[in-house]
Amino acid sequence: MSVSAPPRPVGVAPAPVRGGRPVGRRVPRLDPADREVLWLYALTRTGLWITAWAVRWLFPSSGESREPAPLLAPWQQWDWQHYLSIARDGYFPGGAGPWTAGWDNREAFFPGFPLTLRAVHTVVPHWTAAGVLISFVAGGAAVLALARIARHQLRDLDAGRRTVMFFLLSPCAVFLAAGYTEALFLALALPAWLAAQRGNWRAAAVLTCLACSVRVTGLFLAAALVLHFVLTAKGRAAWRSAPWLLLPALAPVLYAWFLSARTGDWMAWKHAQERGWYRDFHTPWEAWSHTWEAAFQRTQATGYAVMWQAELLAMVTGLVLLVVLVRGCRLPEALYTALTLWALGTSYWFASVPRSTLLWWPLWIALAGWSLRRPRVQAAYVYVVAPVGVIVAVTFLTGRWAG
């Protein structure tokens, strides 16, 4: 698999650049390729909602139930409860905190999504509906930006559609529709990367700062932006934009200050992750060993064992992607991927690596580039990989894992 690009199609020309920024081009409107991407997005959302409707009837909470669960109940699973609690009650309701018995370690979650949820809730009274709406709108913005990045990089008019298809049929795509952070993060991070590719460093910095308020992964994006700037900026005019690249650090610093003012701990979010999710530091080989044991040594229930197997497979996928990016001289994207893998691969065991594949936009572009040269790749993906997404979606929407 390679990320080398086919020739630029006729009629596609780079924007003229002055001082490191494109000139003579307005904000791009929706073209036929964009509309095709949104059509794919609408189709996959429809499929997920049909699945969510079905699981309410097929997997009732009780075998004696004669009524399905509420319409939005399938979207009220796992991490959603943390985001809801933060948006509704704040981080330290009633003076509770890490010093309280049974504390839920909610400070491990960055404030960007809960703040957005609280704002949308003022218009959409149902909390779950507000969360799903955020992800729906954000997901649409994310796939548009992803398609444009792919067309810019691969120089093929079909690259955007293919990239988005791989992305939307990925095994963990259900998390883009839930009230989780992935869609909102990508709606900020991908336009930030697109702005950087076009030399608009101010917009890239502002969007990355907002992405940093949603997930700590935004800091890895910020590092990739700095490297991209160093490798591409030419002339004094371009370098005058360099101070903007410090802006993304503002969001996590403000959050750390907020937590410190209430807990006395500047790293309270990290310590909450360690308490609640075993994210204390271990060497990569220790993390691999612990995950392997959980996956294959029959120490876990079968449902959890297959989850750890998926973690290992996702980590291997990330490592292969990293090699492909380095070999293809995509060094900024390689840095982003490497930092993500380091963060995920140095806990007690791997956790949430499959979900994090959604944030590896170079993966979906690389698959699209591969499929442009080898058409059978797309068919193999649709028939072999995409069905796994159905299994994950049903598992998530039913709220069940180990039986």
Side-chain angles (χ1 to χ4, degrees):
M1 183 171 60
S2 172
V3 294
S4 59
R8 183 194 304 274
V10 176
V12 179
V17 175
R18 179 183 302 158
R21 297 178 60 186
V23 297
R25 176 176 291 181
R26 296 180 179 179
V27 176
R29 298 181 179 180
L30 294 181
D31 57 25
D34 290 330
R35 289 193 288 271
E36 177 69 14
V37 163
L38 290 178
W39 172 243
L40 289 175
Y41 182 67
L43 284 177
T44 56
R45 300 313 89 184
T46 302
L48 281 173
W49 273 97
I50 291 174
T51 304
W53 176 86
V55 300
R56 297 167 48 242
W57 293 85
L58 297 175
F59 301 95
S61 57
S62 169
E64 301 299 320
S65 177
R66 296 294 184 270
E67 295 290 337
L71 179 63
L72 295 174
W75 303 104
Q76 299 169 344
Q77 309 295 345
W78 293 315
D79 285 358
W80 163 253
Q81 298 301 327
H82 290 286
Y83 300 126
L84 173 62
S85 297
I86 296 168
R88 185 181 55 200
D89 307 320
Y91 277 98
F92 305 104
W99 49 86
T100 305
W103 180 241
D104 60 7
N105 299 303
R106 64 182 65 184
E107 65 273 26
F109 299 89
F110 275 41
F113 184 84
L115 286 173
T116 305
L117 178 60
R118 189 173 184 89
V120 174
H121 174 65
T122 62
V123 180
V124 181
H126 195 288
W127 284 103
T128 308
V132 170
L133 178 61
I134 292 168
S135 290
F136 176 76
V137 175
V143 296
L144 277 177
L146 178 61
R148 290 173 177 175
I149 293 170
R151 292 200 296 268
H152 177 92
Q153 180 174 322
L154 298 179
R155 308 299 186 188
D156 190 291
L157 293 178
D158 193 41
R161 182 193 64 81
R162 286 173 179 262
T163 300
V164 168
M165 185 211 69
F166 284 116
F167 176 63
L168 292 177
L169 296 182
S170 62
C172 290
V174 66
F175 294 101
L176 295 169
Y180 276 44
T181 60
E182 281 79 4
L184 182 59
F185 175 82
L186 289 171
L188 298 166
L190 292 176
W193 193 253
L194 186 61
Q197 287 187 325
R198 293 172 174 171
N200 190 343
W201 298 106
R202 294 181 183 180
V206 171
L207 289 168
T208 302
C209 182
L210 294 174
C212 286
S213 75
V214 178
R215 296 177 67 99
V216 70
T217 317
L219 289 174
F220 309 150
L221 174 64
L225 281 180
V226 171
L227 180 57
H228 186 45
F229 178 84
V230 170
L231 294 176
T232 60
K234 297 179 181 179
R236 293 183 179 179
W239 278 90
R240 281 198 289 267
S241 299
W244 281 94
L245 299 178
L246 298 174
L247 182 63
L250 179 63
V253 167
L254 287 177
Y255 183 50
W257 172 79
F258 165 79
L259 294 178
S260 174
R262 285 154 180 79
T263 67
D265 181 7
W266 280 85
M267 295 295 290
W269 67 272
K270 180 66 169 62
H271 296 148
Q273 289 192 344
E274 293 173 358
R275 290 191 303 269
W277 291 270
Y278 303 102
R279 291 195 180 275
D280 50 327
F281 179 79
H282 290 263
T283 63
W285 45 92
E286 286 177 324
W288 178 275
S289 176
H290 295 154
T291 309
W292 183 273
E293 180 180 357
F296 296 111
Q297 299 303 315
R298 300 182 182 180
T299 61
Q300 303 284 332
T302 57
Y304 288 109
V306 76
M307 180 184 73
W308 299 124
Q309 292 167 23
E311 298 284 348
L312 291 168
L313 180 59
M315 180 60 70
V316 170
T317 301
L319 293 172
V320 172
L321 173 64
L322 180 59
V323 172
V324 169
L325 292 172
V326 172
R327 291 185 62 185
C329 296
R330 311 294 305 188
L331 298 184
E333 293 96 326
L335 177 61
Y336 171 81
T337 304
L339 291 173
T340 303
L341 291 173
W342 179 261
L344 294 170
T346 53
S347 301
Y348 176 81
W349 48 27
F350 302 155
S352 299
V353 184
R355 270 177 61 187
S356 292
T357 62
L358 293 171
L359 311 182
W360 301 345
W361 79 88
L363 172 62
W364 314 115
I365 295 175
L367 286 172
W370 192 17
S371 72
L372 285 168
R373 294 183 299 279
R374 298 181 179 273
R376 289 185 178 181
V377 170
Q378 179 172 305
Y381 188 90
V382 170
Y383 292 118
V384 177
V385 178
V388 178
V390 178
I391 298 172
V392 175
V394 171
T395 301
F396 172 80
L397 293 168
T398 58
R400 301 174 183 180
W401 197 267

